[in-house]
Amino acid sequence: MATRAGTTTPFTSRSTAADVIAGIDLTGRRAVVTGAASGIGVETARALAGAGAEVTLAVRDPAAGDRTAKDIRATTGSEDIRVAALDLTDPASVRAFTAAWHGPLHILVNNAGVMAAPESRTPQGWELQFATNHLGHFALTTGLHEALAAAGGARVVSVSSSGHLFSPVVFDDLHFTERPYDPWLAYGQSKTANVLFAVEASRRWAADGITANALMPGGIQTNLGRYMDDGQMGLFMTHLRALLGEGTPLPEMSFKSVEQGAATSVLLATSPLLDGISGRYFEDCNEAPPHQPGTNTGVAPHALDPEAAERLWQVSEQLLD
């Protein structure tokens, strides 16, 4: 239901993927989940498979994908689980994936990601987090556009983060060639890009019946935190204090289970409560309000800026050309 305060649902931060998909039948629907061999990607894929969807696990490590597929088959009874290789940092890998796809695609969950990685670049010179979290998913989704349009009412779900509050997309220095590399600013920029992609995809693809939304899954202890040593945690806290402002007490750190972390992704991918809702940013299974100073929740204006969204789309096409 749409209200002036945003789109709300009966679900909360404690809801699980199983809660939000209860009673939904996805028989005959086809879904792709990137990064589906670990963390919330596994639980997202499991929920979709359990509701009857044919699910493709798009993973960098097919052996890990095969192990995950076996686990999902065992827990859901579904045999419609496929594994396909996808390296989001390699445009050739993305092209191979999209070229091999035939028929409609009803659900695309752009879930894979890297967080606070040490400074690293792809062979093209792209900063790793921007390349993985945004450019690879941009290439994948635009490459699957015809399949999404053919589905009639397809949904694209992009996993963003409250980290988007740390940085807008810095168009003058996307790849940190002019400014000192900061892993949290790089992460924040890439997560802002995830939201801006949903904004512009909504505008460009509305006539195709495609909706696109972004979300913050919540704090979950998964492999996404593999770079979180003491130094990175200290730098994160520095950015968090700057965001909150002098004198604001730090929020209590609370973590969700992976089943709870997957809930907002699954909700956006499947719930009839969100039919026609597009270009939004959700957290805790509800549309996020505008960010308020002194908090680390809500959506920043820079992430919903339609001019930035259009510019990012154009720049992304140019980089991938």
Side-chain angles (χ1 to χ4, degrees):
M1 58 203 108
T3 71
R4 293 185 63 188
T7 303
T8 61
T9 77
F11 303 108
T12 71
S13 62
R14 309 325 296 171
S15 299
T16 66
D19 293 334
V20 303
I21 206 169
I24 295 175
D25 183 2
L26 298 180
T27 303
R29 305 289 183 92
R30 305 173 78 204
V32 169
V33 181
T34 70
S38 66
I40 65 172
V42 175
E43 298 312 317
T44 301
R46 192 189 313 279
L48 298 175
E54 173 200 298
V55 182
T56 296
L57 314 181
V59 295
R60 191 172 51 180
D61 179 355
D66 287 339
R67 290 191 294 271
T68 301
K70 183 178 179 181
D71 172 55
I72 293 174
R73 290 187 190 107
T75 56
T76 65
S78 173
E79 292 299 319
D80 283 338
I81 315 296
R82 304 176 184 195
V83 177
L86 176 67
D87 182 346
L88 290 164
T89 65
D90 180 0
S93 174
V94 178
R95 286 193 297 270
F97 183 96
T98 59
W101 187 270
H102 298 289
L105 174 60
H106 302 84
I107 296 166
L108 173 59
V109 183
N110 290 324
N111 166 82
V114 60
M115 180 178 75
E119 184 170 9
S120 183
R121 300 181 190 282
T122 69
Q124 296 82 4
W126 303 332
E127 187 277 316
L128 180 68
Q129 296 187 81
F130 189 76
T132 305
N133 298 347
H134 168 64
L135 282 173
H137 281 127
F138 178 88
L140 176 69
T141 311
T142 53
L144 291 170
H145 172 244
E146 287 188 13
L148 292 162
R155 296 189 183 191
V156 177
V157 178
S158 294
V159 178
S160 180
S161 167
S162 60
H164 85 274
L165 297 168
F166 289 157
S167 178
V169 172
V170 181
F171 289 101
D172 292 339
D173 191 16
L174 289 172
H175 305 295
F176 289 82
T177 56
E178 304 297 327
R179 52 187 167 143
Y181 179 74
D182 182 308
W184 288 106
L185 294 182
Y187 180 67
Q189 172 178 254
S190 73
K191 295 288 102 177
T192 290
N194 293 151
V195 190
L196 291 173
F197 174 78
V199 170
E200 183 64 5
S202 295
R203 185 183 74 83
R204 288 177 179 249
W205 295 347
D208 298 315
I210 300 168
T211 60
N213 291 289
L215 69 121
M216 158 63 170
I220 309 109
Q221 293 178 304
T222 68
N223 289 353
L224 187 65
R226 63 187 174 276
Y227 298 116
M228 290 292 283
D229 58 17
D230 289 346
Q232 288 292 15
M233 182 55 81
L235 187 57
F236 171 78
M237 296 307 290
T238 298
H239 282 294
L240 182 59
R241 288 189 183 95
L243 175 69
L244 296 175
E246 197 65 41
T248 303
L250 292 174
E252 279 188 36
M253 288 287 212
S254 63
F255 291 97
K256 295 182 178 183
S257 68
V258 285
E259 294 85 0
Q260 291 168 334
T264 307
S265 296
V266 172
L267 179 88
L268 289 172
T270 66
S271 177
L273 296 171
L274 301 179
D275 285 346
I277 299 297
S278 195
R280 316 284 181 88
Y281 173 86
F282 283 69
E283 55 191 6
D284 296 335
C285 296
N286 288 274
E287 186 177 350
H291 171 67
Q292 298 299 319
T295 71
N296 65 331
T297 58
V299 60
H302 63 241
L304 296 178
D305 179 358
E307 291 184 5
E310 184 176 13
R311 183 179 180 187
L312 178 64
W313 193 286
Q314 293 168 348
V315 166
S316 302
E317 287 183 326
Q318 290 162 6
L319 286 169
L320 290 160
D321 190 3

